[in-house]
Amino acid sequence: MRMNEGVEWALHCCVNLAWVGPDEAVPAAGLAAFYDLPTAYLNKQLQALARAGIVSSTSGPKGGFRLARPAKDITLLDVVTAIDGPEEAFRCREIRRNGASRKLPDDYRQRCLIAQAMREAEVSWRRELAARTIADIKGAVERQAPDGPELTRRLLLRPPRSRR
Amino acid sequence: MRMNEGVEWALHCCVNLAWVGPDEAVPAAGLAAFYDLPTAYLNKQLQALARAGIVSSTSGPKGGFRLARPAKDITLLDVVTAIDGPEEAFRCREIRRNGASRKLPDDYRQRCLIAQAMREAEVSWRRELAARTIADIKGAVERQAPDGPELTRRLLLRPPRSRR
DNA sequence: GACGGGGTACTCGGATAGAGCTTGTCCGAGTTAGCGTGG
DNA sequence: CCACGCTAACTCGGACAAGCTCTATCCGAGTACCCCGTC
């Protein structure tokens, strides 16, 4: 089980966009240069965030991406769902309805308790992610390095021409 | 993010093996026929369980698989780890050490708080899975359908010749 | 009748192909800023 | 000097390939059982 690698990229980008603020848009090329990532592929991930309503995109010069709502209203689960898809990791295929097991009494197959247990574990995971917002991460990093945000802002608003 | 499909198969098989008991071995073909699964592939998954020490395997006639230890000592996490691998879903690639971001002060890159948050969520998921055992599932199903176990036992101990 | 040996059928186990999804790349449509021109 | 239109560059957006993991299959090694022959 491996999560989409773009989730890490998207989370970092969201924190950076929170520092830049909603007045300036940052193009995908700028964010890609910031972490040395493939521009086009990062663009694809940001598109997914735009479709999910997490960021808003504008075309043309001075265009790019910016947060579509306050950082405190964007949970980690929102980002993970946007990039990695809404489907659960464990999918019950109801295998117990096939083969010889269909000879068993119906009430045996009423509810799949295995699927239920797996689902509860995933709910716990989701709950944990939904409890943390981009603003939480942002605040924690600021306490760790107070001058980081300002430097990030400066680097992102004067992007190099392009690296890829 | 999609979990290995064999996890569902392995969990069902473990519950069934718990009903059969440690005195009789059930061949992979029998379990496959029970759920109409591809025999060779299910065998591969059971091999993984054997490598993890969850089941023990014996060759030859009257051979097959059986639980290697009491069902109460096999957690769902044990099975998931054996089939799906021990690696975490979210893997921090430390992208913030590449590109322009390396201009940032060192203490900004001290600990990746994003990776930490993602890890905590996964720990929560694992804790939930580690809290449930095969015996728990087995007991809950028995309360739901008291005669299911005996029928399952009978079906598994007289497997049809082969279906695939 | 009892014992021993060989054959046979059955089982797992690992090595080997095929499919689907993730990753990566490319080029086109749309938009906006800036500049040049005319009033 | 100001306003307007055009051009050109820049941006996103979706369509198009490559790599890798998961899925699926096959055949060989090993083993226990069973039958047969012999004592």
Side-chain angles (χ1 to χ4, degrees):
Chain A
M1 186 173 57
R2 213 180 76 216
M3 179 172 292
N4 194 313
E5 192 177 1
V7 170
E8 182 186 5
W9 306 358
L11 288 171
H12 278 282
C13 287
C14 282
V15 174
N16 287 339
L17 290 178
W19 279 327
V20 168
D23 297 328
E24 294 280 346
V26 182
L31 291 163
F34 193 72
Y35 292 124
D36 200 20
L37 301 173
T39 301
Y41 190 33
L42 176 62
N43 188 25
K44 196 179 180 61
Q45 313 287 5
L46 293 170
Q47 282 174 37
L49 292 182
R51 271 193 294 270
I54 295 171
V55 303
S56 68
S57 61
T58 52
S59 286
K62 304 285 270 181
F65 296 91
R66 70 193 77 190
L67 289 189
R69 58 177 187 263
K72 71 175 173 56
D73 296 333
I74 301 172
T75 69
L76 299 192
L77 181 61
D78 292 333
V79 177
V80 168
T81 301
I83 301 293
D84 211 48
E87 293 183 356
E88 299 197 0
F90 181 88
R91 273 181 279 180
C92 181
R93 300 276 192 180
E94 288 292 342
I95 62 173
R96 62 211 177 109
R97 298 193 180 279
N98 303 110
S101 67
R102 69 174 58 186
K103 304 286 183 190
L104 296 172
D106 286 344
D107 51 350
Y108 169 80
R109 293 187 271 107
Q110 203 168 7
R111 292 175 310 153
C112 184
L113 296 170
I114 289 173
Q116 191 173 334
M118 297 299 288
R119 175 182 294 260
E120 283 171 14
E122 275 197 273
V123 165
S124 175
W125 176 71
R126 286 186 141 76
R127 192 185 348 255
E128 200 83 13
L129 289 182
R132 293 187 194 277
T133 68
I134 296 294
D136 294 336
I137 302 285
K138 172 168 162 281
V141 175
E142 284 168 0
R143 276 190 294 280
Q144 191 169 293
D147 50 349
E150 181 53 33
L151 285 171
T152 300
R153 217 179 122 80
R154 203 167 305 167
L155 285 170
L156 280 178
L157 291 182
R158 293 271 177 258
R161 271 298 169 225
S162 86
R163 295 198 49 155
R164 305 203 166 195
Chain B
M1 186 173 57
R2 214 179 77 216
M3 178 172 290
N4 196 312
E5 192 177 1
V7 170
E8 183 185 6
W9 306 358
L11 287 171
H12 277 282
C13 286
C14 281
V15 174
N16 287 339
L17 289 178
W19 277 327
V20 168
D23 298 328
E24 294 281 343
V26 182
L31 290 163
F34 192 70
Y35 292 125
D36 200 20
L37 300 173
T39 301
Y41 190 34
L42 177 63
N43 188 25
K44 195 178 180 60
Q45 314 288 6
L46 293 170
Q47 281 173 37
L49 292 182
R51 271 192 295 270
I54 294 171
V55 303
S56 68
S57 62
T58 51
S59 287
K62 303 285 269 178
F65 296 92
R66 70 193 77 189
L67 289 188
R69 57 177 187 262
K72 73 176 172 56
D73 295 333
I74 301 173
T75 69
L76 299 193
L77 182 61
D78 291 334
V79 177
V80 169
T81 300
I83 302 292
D84 209 48
E87 293 183 358
E88 299 197 2
F90 180 89
R91 272 181 279 180
C92 181
R93 300 276 191 179
E94 288 292 341
I95 61 172
R96 60 208 178 110
R97 299 192 179 278
N98 303 113
S101 66
R102 69 173 59 186
K103 303 287 184 189
L104 295 172
D106 286 345
D107 49 352
Y108 168 81
R109 293 184 272 106
Q110 204 169 5
R111 293 176 308 156
C112 186
L113 296 170
I114 289 173
Q116 192 172 334
M118 296 299 289
R119 175 182 294 262
E120 283 171 15
E122 276 194 51
V123 166
S124 176
W125 175 72
R126 286 186 142 76
R127 192 187 345 258
E128 200 83 12
L129 289 181
R132 291 184 194 279
T133 69
I134 295 295
D136 294 335
I137 302 285
K138 172 167 163 281
V141 174
E142 284 169 359
R143 276 190 294 279
Q144 190 169 292
D147 50 348
E150 181 53 33
L151 286 171
T152 300
R153 220 180 118 80
R154 205 168 302 167
L155 284 169
L156 280 177
L157 291 181
R158 291 270 178 260
R161 268 300 168 223
S162 86
R163 294 195 54 150
R164 306 199 166 201

